[in-house]
Amino acid sequence: MKPLKELVRSNIWELKPYSSARNEYSGKDASIFLDANENPYNTPNNRYPDPLQKELKDTIANIKNVQPEQIFLGNGSDEAIDIAFRAFCKPGIDNVVAIEPTYGMYKVCADINDIAYRTVILDKDFQFKANDLLKEADENTKLIFLCSPNNPTGNNLNCQEIINLLQTFQGIVIVDEAYIDFSDQKSFLTCLHEYPNLVVLQTFSKAWGCAAIRLGMAFSNPEVIGIFNKIKYPYNINRLTQQEAIQMTHKYHEVKQWIQTLLEERTRMVKEFKKLSCCLHVYPTDANFFLTNVTDAKRIYDYLVDKGIIVRSRNNITLCKNCLRITIGTRPENDALLEALKSYR
Ligand SMILES: *Cc1c(COP(=O)(O)O)cnc(C)c1O
């Protein structure tokens, strides 16, 4: 990896971040707060939330077995993705490399930030070779985006190829693990110490059942996390979200139970889908969804909408012609989908 100073945009490297009232005073003993122009009434929502989310990060650090200084929390992982662009990529000059197909937000963020988005198409097993991505990269490639398990394909990316990239690429490698809790592959969090250029993304939106509270996590070395913290809005995670996330960590056993149930349902759904006459293929999955190749994706999608069942058509995505992406729901929801498709003609 190049020295961080060479990778980070110089305006960001030099940036003196906004210092909020809650930043300048963060001791514990005070009881009278007349520093932030807050209204003294309407507790607790009258107070600005902790800008660096100390209590929540301590809790997450414990669960994930990392240090709090290795954690950035964002308004969804989408905020971490956007901040990575703003930290490292000079608009109109730099570029990033990603696999295709993958999560659509990487390209949207690239476009918003005026960063060229280069892609390498996955092979027929939806896998990649580190070398093919490196061949696309040049002096101005600051980020490589990987997503494992990948969305919309559902499979884990080859672990050894990811390691090859981490060892060879001179910029930052972002590994999006939004679906890691449904995978039998281990998280790259355990490799944070080995690879200073690694950023791992996870989220409360999927396994944790908290898409509504908007909480995403980025894990990296403390220097990179420090840069992210400089760029973010001072109070990017509101108090309700911080509090609800802490409550959820107390229900971790329940979350694990949900994951177990969804994995059992996934096995059942894949098996049942393969028996459907409209289903041509089900791709292997390590996520809480699966990609299936069907006889006529557009027609089946419309047929299901008509019955009040919404799936995701990926018909217009590279390598996904006539494919639907199906999220695993509750048993009754899954049964309703199967019943509907059994009567599809
Ligand atoms: C759903 C998803 C996310 C989650 O994004 P949030 O902003 O945290 O809700 C991130 N990455 C991928 C690949 C996803 O599919």
Side-chain angles (χ1 to χ4, degrees):
M1 176 193 177
K2 287 183 194 160
L4 197 56
K5 190 175 176 187
E6 279 175 42
L7 285 174
V8 174
R9 288 165 67 193
S10 53
N11 61 311
I12 299 297
W13 188 263
E14 307 293 342
L15 178 71
K16 221 181 136 341
Y18 175 75
S19 183
S20 65
R22 281 302 110 82
N23 258 332
E24 294 193 350
Y25 179 79
S26 58
K28 267 269 178 278
D29 316 330
S31 59
I32 300 180
F33 290 99
L34 305 176
D35 59 342
N37 298 348
E38 296 151 340
N39 187 323
Y41 307 113
N42 198 37
T43 49
N45 280 341
N46 60 328
R47 297 295 173 193
Y48 280 103
D50 176 1
L52 288 172
Q53 310 98 21
K54 182 172 183 333
E55 187 185 356
L56 177 53
K57 279 183 186 167
D58 286 347
T59 312
I60 292 172
N62 230 322
I63 290 174
K64 300 290 178 183
N65 202 17
V66 300
Q67 298 302 310
E69 303 73 41
Q70 294 175 299
I71 307 174
F72 165 84
L73 298 178
N75 187 327
S77 355
D78 292 346
E79 182 183 0
I81 295 166
D82 186 55
I83 286 186
F85 277 101
R86 291 195 281 153
F88 295 109
C89 303
K90 288 195 280 291
I93 296 170
D94 287 334
N95 68 76
V96 303
V97 174
I99 54 174
E100 185 175 329
T102 193
Y103 185 47
M105 273 308 286
Y106 315 141
K107 174 155 172 33
V108 172
C109 280
D111 289 346
I112 289 170
N113 288 286
D114 193 18
I115 306 301
Y117 185 82
R118 303 179 175 181
T119 59
V120 172
I121 295 179
L122 296 172
D123 66 22
K124 64 172 193 345
D125 299 318
F126 298 136
Q127 291 295 344
F128 76 105
K129 288 270 180 282
N131 253 333
D132 294 337
L133 294 192
L134 290 167
K135 268 188 250 160
E136 274 302 310
D138 61 21
E139 267 306 292
N140 291 316
T141 305
K142 297 295 170 65
L143 310 174
I144 291 181
F145 281 94
L146 300 174
C147 182
S148 180
N150 191 26
N151 179 4
T153 59
N155 60 300
N156 290 320
L157 296 180
N158 183 302
C159 197
Q160 189 52 51
E161 292 300 322
I162 298 178
I163 290 170
N164 289 349
L165 260 191
L166 286 165
Q167 288 174 338
T168 322
F169 181 52
Q170 294 298 301
I172 302 287
V173 179
I174 297 179
V175 181
D176 188 339
E177 294 187 338
Y179 300 99
I180 193 68
D181 304 278
F182 302 103
S183 168
D184 49 23
Q185 204 158 79
K186 78 173 183 17
S187 166
F188 269 86
L189 283 183
T190 55
C191 305
L192 281 179
H193 287 289
E194 259 167 288
Y195 306 112
N197 58 344
L198 171 62
V199 175
V200 175
L201 301 182
Q202 294 187 9
T203 178
F204 271 67
S205 297
K206 308 287 157 63
W208 285 89
C210 286
I213 74 173
R214 308 307 300 131
L215 187 66
M217 302 167 271
F219 303 89
S220 189
N221 71 71
E223 288 72 32
V224 169
I225 296 302
I227 303 275
F228 280 30
N229 283 336
K230 274 202 331 183
I231 299 175
K232 75 178 187 68
Y233 289 156
Y235 303 109
N236 62 328
I237 309 295
N238 70 66
R239 188 190 69 82
L240 299 172
T241 293
Q242 294 189 41
Q243 192 191 7
E244 181 61 20
I246 289 167
Q247 291 307 315
M248 285 307 296
T249 62
H250 298 151
K251 292 200 275 180
Y252 194 29
H253 56 280
E254 201 176 324
V255 174
K256 285 182 178 161
Q257 195 52 58
W258 292 338
I259 295 169
Q260 200 45 48
T261 304
L262 290 170
L263 290 179
E264 284 162 24
E265 277 299 293
R266 182 179 81 188
T267 305
R268 185 177 77 93
M269 285 299 279
V270 168
K271 188 160 153 253
E272 292 301 314
F273 248 74
K274 287 177 175 169
K275 298 180 195 162
L276 296 169
S277 57
C278 65
C279 171
L280 302 176
H281 185 64
V282 179
Y283 291 97
T285 175
D286 293 282
N288 66 334
F289 62 85
F290 60 92
L291 189 72
T292 175
N293 183 219
V294 293
T295 48
D296 188 340
K298 249 200 298 280
R299 196 159 161 263
I300 295 170
Y301 175 86
D302 290 338
Y303 168 83
L304 289 173
V305 169
D306 215 49
K307 297 196 171 303
I309 301 172
I310 315 300
V311 297
R312 189 94 153 121
S313 172
R314 300 286 73 186
N315 189 39
N316 296 323
I317 303 282
T318 313
L319 303 184
C320 299
K321 184 111 203 61
N322 269 319
C323 284
L324 298 174
R325 192 193 69 189
I326 316 262
T327 307
I328 305 298
T330 63
R331 188 167 183 124
E333 288 171 340
N334 299 333
D335 280 340
L337 173 64
L338 289 171
E339 282 317 303
L341 288 177
K342 276 177 196 162
S343 355
Y344 171 80
R345 292 285 172 274

